[in-house]
Amino acid sequence: MIATVLSASVSDTEEQPTLKDAQEQAGQAASWVEQNWSTWLGIGLRVLLIVVIAVVLRVAIRRAITKLIERMNRTAQAVDGTALGGLLVNVERRRQRSQAIGSVLRSVASFGILGTAALMILGTFEINLAPLLASAGVAGVAIGFGARNLVTDFLSGVFMILEDQYGVGDTIDAGVASGEVIEVGLRVTKLRGDNGEIWYVRNGEVKRIGNLSQGWATAGVDVTVRADEDLDKVKAVLAEAGETMSKAEPWNEMLWGPIEVLGLDSVLLDSMVVRVSAKTMPGKSLTVERELRWRIKRAFDESGIRIVGGVPVQVDGEPTADPTAAVSAPSAYASTTSPQSLAASPIPPANLSK
């Protein structure tokens, strides 16, 4: 038993670390740090350099985009108020369009710069990027197949904004729906229909767009009069009505050109159609047409010119035709009790039975 106690005490004495062992371990740690500190410092400096370059590049590109947008707004303000500005979009619309373009460009630039910097930092730590890039490629393909409609809508919305195909307040015909644009997004465009309904149109579904609010519009009115009317008188009355309207407010602002009598559009046996046209502000053609019809009707009534259409014109003094003139008289054989019917009826056979 004494031997067992002595052996246990000896083993405990051997397992306890000594000062010499501690000095050796400290020396090994110091030598390991001395061998690798340059590598750590190099990695840290590279990461710091990548971060600084990414931040500086991001700030520079965002400022360049902002200055570009401000220059676009200054150009729009310089053009507004001139004769050319009337044919272009107004300042507010160009400002909204430029802000949307700037937001998209800044987001794309930030994503590209920061994503590239993150991959370069991972490569600095000697992390194998091949599996990560392969996984990202497979995930991108899967997402692309699953969300291809979303990507199509997004890209279509970006190009619609860049090309300024339409903006808020425009009246457009998008094929699938038509109405006034109340919101333009990168994926969906909102339209207010004629009856007040709201249409949500995906940008990727729009194949063609008819913008009724850009440039100018045309107001056209067809006036149908009798074929025996004096053309010079009709033309003079129409020209006078158009000139009076073009000088009155607010029609003088809506009309961008004189109201012109284009001439005869068609000639029939009992009527003829005279075409009247005018160049108007975008979206005001229907309003101008209604007012022009009103004034033409009043001017014709004062001048004794009749507006016809729909039914054949009756010449004054001509007697009205009898609608029953072409109908023949009823036949005497139509009645079974008439003498003609009785005389023509067959004689019944005599009763021969006894």
Side-chain angles (χ1 to χ4, degrees):
M1 184 176 182
I2 296 174
T4 303
V5 173
L6 290 175
S7 60
S9 62
V10 172
S11 61
D12 294 339
T13 304
E14 293 178 353
E15 292 178 359
Q16 292 179 356
T18 60
L19 181 60
K20 184 178 181 180
D21 295 336
Q23 291 177 354
E24 290 179 355
Q25 293 178 0
Q28 292 176 359
S31 62
W32 185 79
V33 171
E34 184 178 0
Q35 293 176 0
N36 295 282
W37 75 271
S38 59
T39 305
W40 294 349
L41 182 60
I43 293 175
L45 291 177
R46 285 197 293 270
V47 171
L48 181 61
L49 182 62
I50 292 172
V51 172
V52 170
I53 292 176
V55 172
V56 172
L57 186 61
R58 179 174 178 268
V59 172
I61 291 180
R62 289 176 68 90
R63 286 186 177 180
I65 294 173
T66 302
K67 290 183 178 180
L68 178 62
I69 299 304
E70 292 178 354
R71 181 176 299 179
M72 292 174 59
N73 291 333
R74 288 197 299 268
T75 304
Q77 292 176 0
V79 173
D80 187 66
T82 62
L84 181 61
L87 299 177
L88 300 177
V89 292
N90 53 26
V91 176
E92 181 63 23
R93 175 178 167 182
R94 292 193 64 128
R95 187 189 66 81
Q96 294 178 358
R97 171 173 168 260
S98 60
Q99 292 296 334
I101 295 174
S103 176
V104 173
L105 293 179
R106 282 191 289 266
S107 300
V108 172
S110 299
F111 178 79
I113 293 173
L114 296 180
T116 304
L119 293 178
M120 294 178 65
I121 291 174
L122 292 177
T124 303
F125 287 101
E126 297 182 355
I127 298 177
N128 189 10
L129 299 179
L132 179 62
L133 295 178
S135 301
V138 174
V141 172
I143 294 175
F145 277 109
R148 59 185 181 273
N149 292 332
L150 181 63
V151 175
T152 302
D153 296 339
F154 179 81
L155 294 178
S156 299
V158 170
F159 282 106
M160 286 180 182
I161 294 176
L162 290 176
E163 296 173 0
D164 192 22
Q165 298 180 6
Y166 54 83
V168 176
D170 289 350
T171 301
I172 66 171
D173 182 2
V176 294
S178 61
E180 181 182 355
V181 180
I182 60 177
E183 183 179 343
V184 179
L186 293 178
R187 193 183 69 86
V188 175
T189 298
K190 288 184 181 180
L191 302 178
R192 174 76 66 178
D194 296 335
N195 297 325
E197 70 277 9
I198 296 180
W199 296 96
Y200 294 85
V201 181
R202 289 172 42 199
N203 295 329
E205 295 294 329
V206 178
K207 303 303 180 183
R208 53 93 174 162
I209 295 176
N211 196 324
L212 307 179
S213 301
Q214 284 185 350
W216 45 269
T218 301
V221 175
D222 292 333
V223 183
T224 306
V225 296
R226 293 170 47 172
D228 57 353
E229 292 289 349
D230 187 0
L231 288 178
D232 294 334
K233 181 180 179 181
V234 172
K235 184 176 181 180
V237 172
L238 291 175
E240 183 180 358
E243 184 178 0
T244 304
M245 179 178 174
S246 61
K247 294 179 180 180
E249 293 183 356
W251 312 109
N252 54 356
E253 297 181 357
M254 297 183 185
L255 291 170
W256 284 7
I259 299 177
E260 300 178 353
V261 181
L262 301 182
L264 289 177
D265 192 66
S266 63
V267 179
L268 302 177
L269 293 176
D270 53 359
S271 64
M272 55 185 177
V273 179
V274 182
R275 180 75 173 179
V276 182
S277 177
K279 187 180 295 185
T280 68
M281 292 177 59
K284 299 297 183 180
S285 59
L286 294 179
T287 304
V288 173
E289 288 176 1
R290 295 188 183 100
E291 180 65 19
L292 186 57
R293 292 190 186 97
W294 182 282
R295 291 176 178 266
I296 290 174
K297 179 63 171 64
R298 293 182 60 182
F300 277 11
D301 291 343
E302 295 176 358
S303 302
I305 301 175
R306 293 180 56 186
I307 298 177
V308 298
V311 296
V313 180
Q314 297 293 336
V315 181
D316 293 339
E318 181 181 351
T320 305
D322 186 5
T324 62
V327 180
S328 60
S331 175
Y333 294 97
S335 177
T336 57
T337 59
S338 63
Q340 292 83 359
S341 298
L342 294 176
S345 59
I347 299 175
N351 189 4
L352 301 178
S353 60
K354 293 182 181 179

